[in-house]
Structure formats: C-alpha cells, structure tokens
Amino acid sequence: MAAAAAAGDGGGGGPEEGVGESSSPPRDPAPAPSPSPAASGGSGGGGRGGGLRDICREVFERLVSDGHAAGSELLAQLEAHFNRLPISYKLDVNIDKAEDVLFHQKVLAEAKDPDRRPAFAVRFLRLEEVNVDETTNSDAHEEGADNDEALSTRSKTYTHIHEILFSTKDKPKLLSQLSALLSDIGLNIREAHVFSTTDGYSLDVFVVDGWPIEETDGLHKALEASILRNEGSWSGSESSASERSLPFLAQDCETDIDTRLLKIVKKVASGSCGDMFLGTYSGEEVAVKVLNPENLNQNAWSEFKQEIYMLREVDHPNIVRFIGSCTKPPQFYIITECMSRGSLFDFLHNEHNVLDLPILLKFALDVCRGMSYLHQKGIIHRDLKSANLLLDKDHVLRMPVGDWFWERGASMLRFS
C-alpha cells in the first residue's frame, strides 16, 4: 500500500495528495540523496538509510527529554519500528510529536493478535472554528432598500477534529474498506496517511471530522459497531455483513437541523439508552439528548423515533419547545430549548423559595394549560410532579414531553 496524505472537504471520499496532520512544519528542501539499491526497492526498502537513523535518534532524544527512560532498549525498539516502515513514514514524523511514534508502535503491536484486527485507536486533536453563512429576512427587503445591506450573516461555530489509527494485515483495497467504514458512521476524512510495513501490516492514520463531541468513548464504540456490521469484509466472508442489519431503514436517516451549528458543552445525565448534554445551537442554549450507538436495538430505535414524532406534534407555551433532531448515523439527537432555572422541585426545596398566592396561581394555571393541551393531542403525561415541571428564565412553567430520562436530565440543565 503506497503512502498518501489526504485533505478534502467531501464525505469519506478518496484521499488526495497533500500535507498531513502529523507532518513536520515545512522546511527548506534537503539535497536529494544518491540512489541506492536499498532506497529504490519499494516502500519497505528505504528503511535502512542514514536519514532514517537520524530521525530515529531525534525521536529518541525528544522522548528522553520528555521524561522517558534513556537506554539501549528504547532506542532498539525505535530502530526496529522505523526499519519496518517506508521512508515516507520518516518524512511524515513530527519531532515535536514524538509520542506519536509510541502510539503507532502500540497499535501495530495489537494488530499481531488476529482477534483484534483491525486494531484501532481514537484520540481528539482540536476544535476548529467554522464560519457558517446564515441568510435572514430583514427590513432590507423593504422597498428602496439596498440589496447589498446585511441579509447574510456569518456565525461562528466549531467542529471537533479527531484522529483514528488503524493497523491490520495489509491487502488490496484496504484503504477503500477503511474509508467506507468511517463513512458508515458519518465521518468526513480530511487527511489520510497510509503506510505498509516490511512484514505485511498496514499503518493507516485518518484525520476526520463529523463526531460532534470531544469525548472519544462514543466514537470508539461506534467504530466497533461498524466493524461488526462489516465483519465479512475483514474475514473474507460475505455472509456476516449481510446477516447483520441496522434496526432502521434508509428513509429513517434524516435531519432537520444544521449539525455544524450544534456545540456540545457538558454532560449532565446518563441513562441506559443515552446521555443528556448541555449545549448551544446557533447561539441558543439547548438540551441535547444523544442515543448511544452501541444501544441501538429495535426497541430503543422505535422509542427514539416515536419520541421525535410526538415532539414534532406539540407546540404550546407551557410545553418545552422542540428545536430539532438528527437520525443520521452516528448522530442520534433530540434537541429542545434549555430550561435554565431548573425544576420546580429545585426552585422550592433546594433554593428555598416560598410561593406567594399570585405566583402559586400562575404556576397552577401553567400546569393546567399544558396538561389540557396534551390531552387534546391524545397524550397522557403519566408522571406529573414538581421535579418534571421546568422553569424558564421568565419563570414560565413548562413540561418536558418524553421518557423519564429526558425529564430527569432536562431538570439538571443549567449554564454556570
């Protein structure tokens, strides 16, 4: 497998040549070395030149300066590692990120175990600012207004960039299979660094976006599930992949939000099927319910979809407002407004507020209006209590509609 670096803005598409995420900063080009039989014999043959020994020594010295124990054993391990890989790998190493070499060694070692192939690891790299154009109607449409006036605004949002490292037995079309695996869970490949070892293994490093949070546990589990769904492509059997199916149809995969405008801030609650997060959407504080991909069975999926259908049907001042949802793998979200004052229970018992008669009557009317509206829609709440009655910043009482986890989590949403 030839080495490559990709930088693109399409989804999971084919790599294009470019500068890699882990590449060293551009330097003045060095004089080209004289060709030698060892350096011209293919991707594995360049691993024994003097330049390789230099980069190996540089990595060793940086690791020692970073606190690793100096010794012949570490140096020997690094030399063996670099000797397995082509010269293009040496050129891709960033001395300022010498720890990456140990990271690569670890995953290559795991790939020796047939039961762990493809071995992989995930880590968060950075947040990257994205400018999103938003077109709005304004008074600029009034007669005589200049069309060049600000009808289009640019809002700043952030996308999470992760790195995914794979290692397995090298084989034809492996890069295509790995790209399809990442695309299967909705990731966009920005860069790919692809190398083959002299003993028949691959080392493939992908820089991706499309996973909406910094935390990597969920992404790791989503990759495990995708590998299982495509098990036949790794084992050579065609039956495994076809026997495994997702619990939803292609037409179920939809979104009515722009996921680029969604920013996850912090987790506030966990349940058996998902997690509740505090976040922002297009600058508005929101509550985000996320269904865990590893818990995606038929029952969980049916309940999740039913909740979305129900939320889309309700619109009332005393019901928590539904903002949108996403059911495109691996992103399974329900987004509602954030009730920043918490629950009525907290307001009374934890903040020790006392309701005077006008406020008490107002809250009672809020509850009655909300419940009356739900009953007109044929919806029975089944769990009406102070912990499930939420207050907005104007002390309007609203009820969340959904399962118990949604209600419990929503009562904990507060920006500090």
Side-chain angles (χ1 to χ4, degrees):
M1 188 184 301
D9 52 8
E16 296 179 346
E17 189 173 357
V19 177
E21 170 72 23
S22 60
S23 300
S24 300
R27 310 179 226 180
D28 293 334
S34 301
S36 66
S40 60
S43 63
R48 314 194 187 280
L52 181 56
R53 297 188 65 84
D54 291 342
I55 199 72
C56 180
R57 172 64 65 174
E58 288 183 51
V59 170
F60 172 73
E61 291 173 352
R62 175 55 64 93
L63 289 173
V64 170
S65 70
D66 288 344
H68 290 268
S72 58
E73 183 179 354
L74 175 60
L75 183 58
Q77 289 176 356
L78 291 173
E79 288 177 343
H81 174 72
F82 279 104
N83 285 341
R84 291 180 69 190
L85 289 154
I87 255 184
S88 55
Y89 177 78
K90 176 196 72 172
L91 298 174
D92 203 52
V93 169
N94 186 344
I95 299 301
D96 293 331
K97 300 179 181 179
E99 292 279 352
D100 287 0
V101 175
L102 301 182
F103 188 55
H104 300 163
Q105 276 186 304
K106 180 176 180 292
V107 177
L108 277 165
E110 291 174 355
K112 292 284 188 180
D113 182 353
D115 293 333
R116 301 191 69 172
R117 294 179 197 149
F120 70 94
V122 180
R123 59 181 178 177
F124 173 73
L125 291 182
R126 65 180 182 273
L127 273 177
E128 188 171 285
E129 188 176 289
V130 177
N131 288 319
V132 180
D133 287 325
E134 293 183 339
T135 302
T136 58
N137 292 324
S138 73
D139 293 337
H141 284 300
E142 297 290 336
E143 185 176 355
D146 188 346
N147 287 333
D148 291 334
E149 292 184 25
L151 297 179
S152 177
T153 61
R154 294 177 70 82
S155 63
K156 290 183 179 180
T157 186
Y158 295 88
T159 187
H160 294 76
I161 309 298
H162 292 82
E163 181 183 79
I164 302 175
L165 179 65
F166 290 100
S167 182
T168 188
K169 276 286 190 179
D170 206 357
K171 61 181 180 179
K173 299 184 178 180
L174 178 60
L175 180 58
S176 297
Q177 290 180 343
L178 293 174
S179 299
L181 188 149
L182 297 174
S183 179
D184 180 49
I185 59 172
L187 299 179
N188 169 56
I189 298 173
R190 290 184 163 215
E191 303 171 14
H193 309 250
V194 184
F195 310 98
S196 295
T197 68
T198 56
D199 54 344
Y201 286 84
S202 67
L203 178 65
D204 306 308
V205 184
F206 295 90
V207 177
V208 301
D209 62 38
W211 193 256
I213 58 177
E214 179 176 333
E215 187 180 21
T216 58
D217 287 348
L219 178 52
H220 194 281
K221 291 173 182 176
L223 281 167
E224 285 181 337
S226 182
I227 289 169
L228 285 175
R229 288 197 297 270
N230 296 278
E231 186 178 2
S233 64
W234 306 108
S235 65
S237 165
E238 296 299 328
S239 59
S240 295
S242 60
E243 288 170 0
R244 299 176 184 272
S245 60
L246 292 170
F248 49 83
L249 303 175
Q251 56 265 33
D252 288 331
C253 302
E254 59 183 7
T255 181
D256 51 17
I257 61 170
D258 184 345
T259 55
R260 297 174 300 173
L261 300 177
L262 177 63
K263 181 181 179 182
I264 302 295
V265 176
K266 65 179 179 180
K267 184 190 292 187
V268 295
S270 293
S272 59
C273 293
D275 301 311
M276 177 73 77
F277 293 89
L278 183 69
T280 62
Y281 180 70
S282 193
E284 178 184 358
E285 296 174 1
V286 294
V288 186
K289 178 180 179 179
V290 180
L291 182 65
N292 291 334
E294 66 270 21
N295 295 327
L296 195 58
N297 55 46
Q298 186 62 58
N299 288 338
W301 177 249
S302 297
E303 291 175 3
F304 193 74
K305 288 291 289 185
Q306 181 61 35
E307 188 168 343
I308 292 173
Y309 293 146
M310 180 170 61
L311 288 167
R312 285 175 176 167
E313 291 298 314
V314 296
D315 182 14
H316 188 273
N318 299 114
I319 304 295
V320 173
R321 178 168 53 90
F322 174 64
I323 293 174
S325 63
C326 178
T327 55
K328 284 186 176 180
Q331 300 170 337
F332 303 101
Y333 307 144
I334 293 176
I335 304 175
T336 71
E337 65 179 325
C338 175
M339 304 301 291
S340 58
R341 293 303 303 268
S343 71
L344 181 59
F345 181 91
D346 290 336
F347 184 77
L348 294 175
H349 299 283
N350 295 337
E351 299 176 17
H352 307 293
N353 289 294
V354 178
L355 302 182
D356 56 23
L357 184 59
I359 292 294
L360 184 63
L361 291 175
K362 176 189 176 301
F363 283 174
L365 286 172
D366 286 343
V367 174
C368 290
R369 292 183 182 117
M371 291 297 291
S372 176
Y373 175 80
L374 290 179
H375 291 170
Q376 291 171 25
K377 289 284 187 178
I379 298 171
I380 301 175
H381 194 283
R382 289 193 174 98
D383 197 18
L384 184 62
K385 58 185 179 183
S386 60
N388 290 339
L389 298 173
L390 308 179
L391 288 164
D392 68 8
K393 64 183 187 308
D394 299 318
H395 287 87
V396 174
L397 205 60
R398 306 189 192 190
M399 290 176 284
V401 177
D403 61 19
W404 68 271
F405 163 67
W406 177 251
E407 291 161 358
R408 183 187 68 168
S411 68
M412 302 169 67
L413 290 162
R414 293 190 182 204
F415 277 82
S416 57

